[in-house]
Amino acid sequence: MQKNTENRMIIAKIMNRLSMGLLISLLGMGAATAQKKTSMEEPLGDDATLIIERNVMVPMRDGVKLATDIYRIEGAKPAPVLVARTPYGKNDLWFADWKRYVKAGYVLVCQDVRGRYASEGDFRPHFNETADGVDCFAWVVAQPWCDGNIGTFGGSYLGGTQWLPARENPAPLKAMVPEITFSDMYEGNTHPGGVKVLHDLRWAADIVHDVVRRKRDAGETVPQTSELPDETTVLDALPVGGHPMIARYAPFYREWLDHPEAGAYWDSISPSNGYRNITVPALNISGWYDIFIWGTLQNYRGMKENGGSEIARNNQKLIIGPWVHTSAYSGKFPERDFGLGADSLDLDEIRLRWYDRWLKDIDNGIDKEDPVMIFVMGIDKWRTEKDWPLSDTRYEEFYLHSDGHANTSGGNGTLSLSKQAGEEPADIYVYDPMNPVPSIGGQVILPGANTAGPRDQQEVERREDVLVYSTPILEKPVEVTGNVSLRLFVSSNAPDTDFSAKLVDVFPDGRAMILTNGILRARYRNGFDRYELMEKGHVYELDINLLATSNVFLPGHRIRLEISSSNYPQFARNSNTGGCIADEEAEAYRKATNRIHHTAEYPSRLILPIIER
């Protein structure tokens, strides 16, 4: 336990710097000029000497050279190599206890991706990672210290740099450990429910600072720091894509805004578009409050069903804890502590067993164990499963009811297994994009500490533009484990608007703790590859993906659903005009009066995956 605690402290320091790849101040601290190749030695124990080679410039197929660090034991025979490719600075290895991997007989290679830190070229997120990853693997396998077998590691963006080259089926690649990472780049990353996530905007603002620094150090004339975007204020600026420095120095963000629908642009950089070509086992790790929880689950399921080889289809592993994207796999939060078990896993040991099995052909049994390990919140325990979704899942529908006054937690909205018998008045609220519902917890990355994960929603539930539907107090436990969805019948006086929702566990003391959330832009109700505006007053049926969770609602608790039309700044606000939101000034934004219908004809309902054992 002491070793695990030390590891978690080290990981926390690294992740506080890296923010798992999205909100890191370190982005603006990279080296802007090429660094000299260096080599150093240090004792590793048992008479072994660690050799660290830094800034080895590895050529890509187009001649651009990428800075690469190598960690290996002097004089050791050729060994399997673990590779990570990162935009966050190769000096910080993903593994907290990285020497443990070297001692276990692996060479570690960490590379700055194109256009970042000590590497040459221009940074265009994701688009160069397929070819550059394949070229990196080809260089590694040609080195005398490599035995021909490559595994990969890392999370968030570093997960993408594993999946994307794997789509090319490079022969040396034998195993992956992608963590807290994406699958479908559109719905699973940049546009969940067709709505732009705004942590990408803060990410782009950070990128700008580093690009400017690199250009300044190269002798170019660049803007003053005061002219650059401030990541703490850029979210509030309108239009969403309007900051001139982002347009100039992070043009990829404008590219993303110019592709608001799903399609070939996003498919070209989506792991999910290439499962059929990926032939290696993968250990997938994520958290219930990770921004990429849906991507991790999609990668696991997609590879099981469509992987490019039998060994890949039969050897996908999944670990999901009560974790957020940036917390070093800790289960401790200010308003909820999941106990010592939440962060007791020795992930280094699990990863090493995975690599040993597939890179060294050691029959250690990890491929014969249950492939799924999940942390069940509520009872706060780990449990293994045969697959995901769980084979004994029973989907149960909880119908929305009210007398037309579900507004706030003091309203009369209820959830019931009984269908609506006849006419019930619609619940009405006004969504004002200039006064959006604030994001509090959930699968988010927001400025400041303790903003993600299980947070109390009581403040949000006091707002008139939030509808609240709750079950009676539970007399027996109810386990909800799996994908959560919401079927809503809605109408609006606006040509387009958003509908957001949260699944909440209400404690006996009144705490309303968010479990998971989702959103849908109404114009994409019939598909993310096209848009269709709404007719005023017409009732539409929407399917909203509330991602997934695993939670036991204990006796004395209540199951709660919140509905609104915003969750900001997790998601960009809808202007309600039906226009191009990326370019609309604040003056164009308008209020929308939205209705949730729940009658026999329009049976709005929450669909929960129930487990009874």
Side-chain angles (χ1 to χ4, degrees):
M1 183 63 71
Q2 182 179 358
K3 183 64 174 177
N4 286 339
T5 301
E6 292 173 356
N7 285 347
R8 289 196 297 273
M9 292 176 65
I10 297 172
I11 295 173
K13 291 179 180 178
I14 291 176
M15 291 188 178
N16 284 339
R17 297 175 67 189
L18 292 179
S19 289
M20 306 294 278
L22 282 171
L23 299 178
I24 51 174
S25 60
L26 195 60
L27 278 170
M29 297 171 61
T33 57
Q35 298 181 21
K36 293 181 179 180
K37 177 181 174 180
T38 62
S39 181
M40 60 176 291
E41 300 180 3
E42 66 175 81
L44 194 61
D46 297 325
D47 296 324
T49 299
L50 173 68
I51 302 292
I52 303 177
E53 297 176 80
R54 296 200 182 277
N55 298 310
V56 177
M57 301 306 291
V58 176
M60 300 292 102
R61 64 189 67 179
D62 60 356
V64 171
K65 296 182 178 65
L66 305 188
T68 307
D69 291 351
I70 304 157
Y71 303 75
R72 58 187 178 86
I73 295 177
E74 182 182 31
K77 64 181 182 179
V81 180
L82 306 182
V83 176
R85 304 186 60 258
T86 175
Y88 304 122
K90 59 183 171 50
N91 292 349
D92 285 304
L93 287 168
W94 181 262
F95 302 134
D97 191 7
W98 58 267
K99 290 183 180 179
R100 182 173 176 181
Y101 294 79
V102 178
K103 291 178 180 178
Y106 291 95
V107 176
L108 301 185
V109 169
C110 197
Q111 184 177 80
D112 288 334
V113 301
R114 181 181 296 244
R116 300 294 291 144
Y117 290 82
S119 285
E120 298 174 353
D122 296 320
F123 184 52
R124 189 186 179 207
H126 310 295
F127 278 91
N128 293 307
E129 308 310 351
T130 298
D132 286 354
V134 171
D135 292 353
C136 175
F137 297 160
W139 180 86
V140 166
V141 79
Q143 303 310 305
W145 33 258
C146 178
D147 71 357
N149 296 296
I150 290 177
T152 54
F153 66 94
S156 198
Y157 194 103
L158 285 71
T161 60
Q162 299 179 63
W163 283 112
L164 293 175
R167 300 183 308 172
E168 297 295 307
N169 192 20
L173 181 62
K174 302 297 173 55
M176 302 189 296
V177 183
E179 306 181 30
I180 56 173
T181 199
F182 53 86
S183 54
D184 179 298
M185 269 293 293
Y186 180 82
E187 188 182 3
N189 185 353
T190 61
H191 292 79
V195 183
K196 189 74 186 73
V197 292
L198 289 184
H199 55 241
D200 282 347
L201 178 55
R202 296 186 67 223
W203 192 70
D206 278 331
I207 294 290
V208 166
H209 285 260
D210 183 54
V211 171
V212 168
R213 180 174 284 102
R214 286 167 64 94
K215 291 182 177 296
R216 180 187 298 117
D217 290 351
E220 297 184 31
T221 301
V222 296
Q224 298 297 315
T225 301
S226 60
E227 300 177 67
L228 302 183
D230 181 347
E231 68 163 27
T232 62
T233 60
V234 70
L235 299 182
D236 293 326
L238 293 175
V240 173
H243 199 290
M245 293 298 106
I246 291 179
R248 181 176 178 183
Y249 293 109
F252 62 83
Y253 190 74
R254 183 69 234 189
E255 246 184 71
W256 294 351
L257 294 176
D258 288 342
H259 292 84
E261 280 89 41
Y265 175 87
W266 298 106
D267 289 345
S268 67
I269 52 174
S270 292
S272 57
N273 192 46
Y275 294 146
R276 62 190 177 277
N277 298 324
I278 300 174
T279 61
V280 299
L283 165 58
N284 302 274
I285 303 174
S286 187
W288 296 123
Y289 293 100
D290 175 25
I291 59 171
F292 294 139
I293 177 59
W294 188 252
T296 298
L297 296 172
Q298 188 179 28
N299 285 333
Y300 171 81
R301 190 69 248 163
M303 284 297 298
K304 293 273 287 188
E305 296 176 351
N306 302 305
S309 69
E310 184 176 356
I311 193 172
R313 292 189 295 273
N314 293 339
N315 293 283
Q316 298 296 309
K317 194 172 182 65
L318 178 68
I319 300 175
I320 310 291
W323 307 319
V324 302
H325 195 72
T326 58
S327 73
Y329 299 132
S330 170
K332 300 185 186 304
F333 302 90
E335 297 166 313
R336 181 75 166 89
D337 187 342
F338 291 103
L340 293 176
D343 46 4
S344 63
L345 290 186
D346 188 342
L347 289 175
D348 286 324
E349 179 183 10
I350 295 172
R351 295 184 191 108
L352 278 169
R353 291 183 65 218
W354 189 254
Y355 292 132
D356 286 347
R357 175 65 186 90
W358 302 114
L359 300 181
K360 295 183 177 180
D361 198 27
I362 297 175
D363 187 8
N364 55 23
I366 194 168
D367 54 323
K368 300 177 179 65
E369 298 169 357
D370 287 345
V372 176
M373 179 183 294
I374 58 174
F375 188 89
V376 184
M377 299 179 290
I379 59 174
D380 297 351
K381 292 182 179 179
W382 286 100
R383 192 170 76 201
T384 63
E385 298 287 348
K386 300 295 184 183
D387 205 357
W388 181 274
L390 279 56
S391 60
D392 55 345
T393 303
R394 176 173 57 85
Y395 289 96
E396 197 153 65
E397 298 178 326
F398 289 75
Y399 293 87
L400 280 61
H401 297 271
S402 82
D403 292 333
H405 300 285
N407 312 70
T408 79
S409 55
N412 55 30
T414 63
L415 287 176
S416 170
L417 297 176
S418 301
K419 294 182 178 180
Q420 298 89 352
E423 293 298 318
E424 292 183 6
D427 290 306
I428 305 171
Y429 62 94
V430 175
Y431 158 50
D432 180 358
M434 294 295 101
N435 182 27
V437 176
S439 301
I440 299 178
Q443 294 90 348
V444 299
I445 292 182
L446 297 172
N450 302 317
T451 56
R455 294 289 310 279
D456 190 354
Q457 303 300 300
Q458 290 184 88
E459 176 185 345
V460 165
E461 292 173 353
R462 297 187 184 100
R463 293 176 58 111
E464 287 289 331
D465 56 353
V466 176
L467 306 180
V468 179
Y469 303 88
S470 306
T471 65
I473 294 174
L474 300 175
E475 297 181 356
K476 61 179 182 179
V478 176
E479 179 177 337
V480 173
T481 297
N483 303 334
V484 180
S485 61
L486 177 63
R487 185 74 52 84
L488 276 188
F489 290 87
V490 306
S491 62
S492 178
N493 68 345
D496 184 44
T497 193
D498 295 342
F499 290 91
S500 60
K502 299 175 186 175
L503 178 65
V504 173
D505 185 352
V506 183
F507 282 60
D509 61 7
R511 281 178 298 156
M513 306 302 292
I514 185 173
L515 293 170
T516 187
N517 60 272
I519 196 167
L520 179 65
R521 185 146 289 172
R523 68 172 74 180
Y524 298 123
R525 63 192 177 277
N526 292 321
F528 296 117
D529 58 344
R530 61 195 185 279
Y531 74 88
E532 302 174 39
L533 298 182
M534 305 168 71
E535 295 181 18
K536 182 177 180 179
H538 186 81
V539 178
Y540 296 93
E541 183 177 2
L542 307 183
D543 286 310
I544 303 178
N545 178 8
L546 269 65
L547 308 180
T549 193
S550 181
N551 184 73
V552 174
F553 292 84
L554 297 172
H557 290 228
R558 287 183 288 169
I559 302 171
R560 175 169 289 175
L561 171 70
E562 296 175 11
I563 296 175
S564 190
S565 288
S566 53
N567 186 350
Y568 176 84
Q570 180 176 2
F571 300 106
R573 294 164 284 183
N574 196 321
S575 64
N576 299 321
T577 68
C580 179
I581 298 172
D583 294 320
E584 287 182 312
E585 301 284 352
E587 292 75 16
Y589 281 53
R590 54 170 287 189
K591 297 179 181 180
T593 300
N594 296 333
R595 288 172 166 81
I596 304 298
H597 302 267
H598 41 84
T599 65
E601 183 180 4
Y602 302 125
S604 292
R605 56 204 183 271
L606 173 68
I607 304 169
L608 296 179
I610 303 298
I611 304 298
E612 294 179 339
R613 295 180 178 174

